[in-house]
Amino acid sequence: DAAALERRKAELAERLEALAQDESRHALLRRELSSIRQELEEKEAALRQQEEAISAEAKLVQSVKEVMREEASIIEAQADMIEAALSEAEALEKLTLDAAEDAATAAA
């Protein structure tokens, strides 16, 4: 019957409109998802760059520490040499004073 056919036609038209709206929403969601994925990839790339920079900085800090240890060893060795030279100078001074006393005693 014609009325039933019209109702069926109207129902199908409503379902078709609902499907079109769903498809539109899905397309919007796909674009948003794509945008989110791109943003995530960019953030991951930035994070990798930060990790690489931190790693390079850590290596630099390690190198500086090694150089500082070497410099400390050199300074310690120089301090030991200065102490030895001072001891030698003090011993020489004592010998000189002793020799001067001996000379004074011998002269007297």
Side-chain angles (χ1 to χ4, degrees):
D1 119 313
L5 186 58
E6 284 301 317
R7 281 193 305 272
R8 180 73 178 137
K9 193 176 172 184
E11 287 174 8
L12 289 175
E14 285 178 21
R15 285 183 64 195
L16 185 59
E17 178 63 28
L19 286 173
Q21 288 177 358
D22 285 347
E23 187 177 335
S24 176
R25 280 191 292 258
H26 287 141
L28 177 63
L29 289 173
R30 280 193 296 273
R31 285 192 299 273
E32 287 179 15
L33 180 59
S34 176
S35 174
I36 289 169
R37 282 184 179 146
Q38 182 178 355
E39 185 179 342
L40 180 60
E41 288 172 2
E42 290 169 0
K43 287 183 179 183
E44 286 174 340
L47 183 59
R48 279 191 298 275
Q49 287 177 341
Q50 286 178 342
E51 288 172 345
E52 290 169 3
I54 288 169
S55 176
E57 192 171 332
K59 288 177 184 175
L60 179 61
V61 166
Q62 188 63 33
S63 295
V64 168
K65 285 170 65 177
E66 289 174 13
V67 168
M68 291 176 78
R69 282 189 192 108
E70 290 173 8
E71 288 178 354
S73 294
I74 291 169
I75 291 169
E76 287 174 2
Q78 289 173 339
D80 291 344
M81 289 174 20
I82 290 170
E83 283 183 29
L86 284 173
S87 294
E88 199 174 305
E90 288 172 354
L92 184 59
E93 180 183 27
K94 186 175 183 331
L95 285 174
T96 304
L97 289 175
D98 289 347
E101 282 180 21
D102 289 347
T105 303

